[in-house]
Amino acid sequence: MFVKASETVTTRGSTLILPTVSIGNVPQLGMDLLINTLQLSRVGIIDDSALLPVSGVSAFDHIPSRPVPLEVYQSSDAKWTLIQQRSPPLPKHHRLFAKSMLEYIKAGEFDRVVLLTSSDAALRTDALIDGPQIRSISINCDDRILIDRLQALSLTDFGQRRGVAIADDMDSKESSLAGVLKQLHAAGIARPLLDMCQEAGIPVLALVSLVNEGDNIADAIMLANAVNAALGIATTIDQWRPPQSWQWLMPDNVPSELF
C-alpha cells in the first residue's frame, strides 16, 4: 500500500526507477547516489508485509526522516520517481512482493518503468564475459529514442553478444524471455517482476550490472552513470555525492569491540 506524504503527490506520467535487493547491493547503492545527489524529496512509503521490517538513523544528508523498508522519492517537478528498498523480502515471499510492486506500477500510471538489478558475474555465460558489464533487457518497449540511446552508450542487450543473440547458441526454448531471465542469478525479484510485466504488457527497461560480492562502490557508480546517461536525468552532474550512510560501507576505523 502506497502511503503518500500529502494528497498532492502524483506519479502519473512520471518515470519510475526502482531497485532490486540483489548481489552486492549495487542497485540500492546506485539509488543512494541518485537520491542524495539530486536532493530528491521523500513523498511517501510503501507498506508491504512481504518485506523484513527495518529502521535506523537518517540515511541521506538532506532528509532527517528515519528510513523504512520501502521509500518513495520524487523530483520537484514529479518527472522522476525513485524507490529505495532497505530490506529484502522474507523467505518464500519474492513472488508475492513482485506482485505487490506490479500492482503499484499499474496504479501509478507511470510513463516509463526502469528496473535496476545486479547478477552474479561468477555464474554468467561465456557470451557475457566479453563486452559491457552493464547490460539491458527491454520488455514491451517501443521507445526508439531510448533504444537508440542504449545502443549509443554500449548498454548491450542482455541477450546479445557483439550483435549476435546469445539465444542463437541455445535451443529454441531458451530463445524466449524466460531463457534470458534464467541467466539472472542472485538478482532478487528481477525474474518474477520482469516476467509479470511481460504478461501484463507493461513496458519496462532493466539495467543489469554483472558483479561479484565485495566492495561494490565502483559498480554502484557505474550503474548510476548508466541510468543517468540512458534517461538524461541530470546532464550537469560532475560528481556523485554519496550519502552519510556510506561512511560505514567499507570503513577503515571499525571499532575492535565489534569482533
Side-chain angles (χ1 to χ4, degrees):
M1 180 178 64
F2 180 35
V3 182
K4 299 179 181 180
S6 72
E7 290 302 318
T8 61
V9 174
T10 180
T11 58
R12 185 176 185 179
S14 182
T15 293
L16 174 66
I17 307 174
L18 67 158
T20 62
V21 177
S22 45
I23 185 168
N25 300 109
V26 174
Q28 295 165 284
L29 295 175
M31 297 300 284
D32 271 350
L33 292 174
L34 289 165
I35 293 168
N36 198 63
T37 303
L38 299 175
Q39 300 283 283
L40 302 185
S41 301
R42 194 169 91 168
V43 296
I45 65 172
I46 299 177
D47 186 16
D48 198 301
S49 60
L51 294 182
L52 187 70
V54 67
S55 186
V57 297
S58 176
F60 297 112
D61 304 343
H62 64 293
I63 298 176
S65 305
R66 283 182 171 272
V68 295
L70 210 56
E71 305 163 332
V72 182
Y73 294 85
Q74 200 171 69
S75 59
S76 57
D77 58 4
K79 184 177 180 180
W80 308 102
T81 301
L82 280 66
I83 287 178
Q84 180 58 295
Q85 186 176 341
R86 298 290 180 187
S87 65
L90 293 164
K92 300 182 180 180
H93 282 64
H94 282 71
R95 289 197 65 84
L96 181 62
F97 177 57
K99 185 176 180 181
S100 295
M101 294 311 300
L102 179 68
E103 294 305 317
Y104 172 76
I105 291 170
K106 288 179 178 179
E109 299 182 275
F110 295 98
D111 184 50
R112 285 185 297 191
V113 179
V114 179
L115 178 70
L116 305 186
T117 190
S118 53
S119 182
D120 193 341
L123 298 176
R124 61 193 161 175
T125 62
D126 290 346
L128 291 172
I129 293 177
D130 293 331
Q133 294 306 288
I134 296 180
R135 304 282 182 128
S136 62
I137 301 175
S138 299
I139 297 176
N140 302 319
C141 184
D142 57 2
D143 187 337
R144 284 307 318 174
I145 295 177
L146 178 58
I147 292 174
D148 291 343
R149 188 177 296 172
L150 292 173
Q151 294 176 345
L153 294 169
S154 297
L155 294 174
T156 311
D157 190 286
F158 195 75
Q160 291 187 346
R161 175 194 60 194
R162 296 178 183 175
V164 178
I166 290 177
D168 290 348
D169 297 329
M170 303 177 181
D171 57 34
S172 59
K173 181 180 179 180
E174 293 295 316
S175 65
S176 63
L177 174 64
V180 173
L181 296 183
K182 284 181 181 178
Q183 299 175 65
L184 294 175
H185 304 282
I189 67 165
R191 280 195 196 182
L193 181 57
L194 291 174
D195 187 51
M196 291 176 186
C197 286
Q198 166 79 350
E199 292 182 2
I202 296 174
V204 58
L205 167 69
L207 293 181
V208 184
S209 181
L210 295 162
V211 302
N212 294 301
E213 192 76 64
D215 182 354
N216 296 105
I217 293 176
D219 298 310
I221 293 173
M222 290 177 61
L223 186 57
N225 286 337
V227 67
N228 184 46
L231 300 180
I233 301 173
T235 57
T236 58
I237 292 179
D238 295 323
Q239 187 174 0
W240 296 107
R241 292 176 50 192
Q244 59 189 12
S245 58
W246 277 34
Q247 64 180 311
W248 294 111
L249 276 182
M250 301 294 291
D252 297 324
N253 56 345
V254 177
S256 59
E257 291 82 2
L258 292 177
F259 302 98

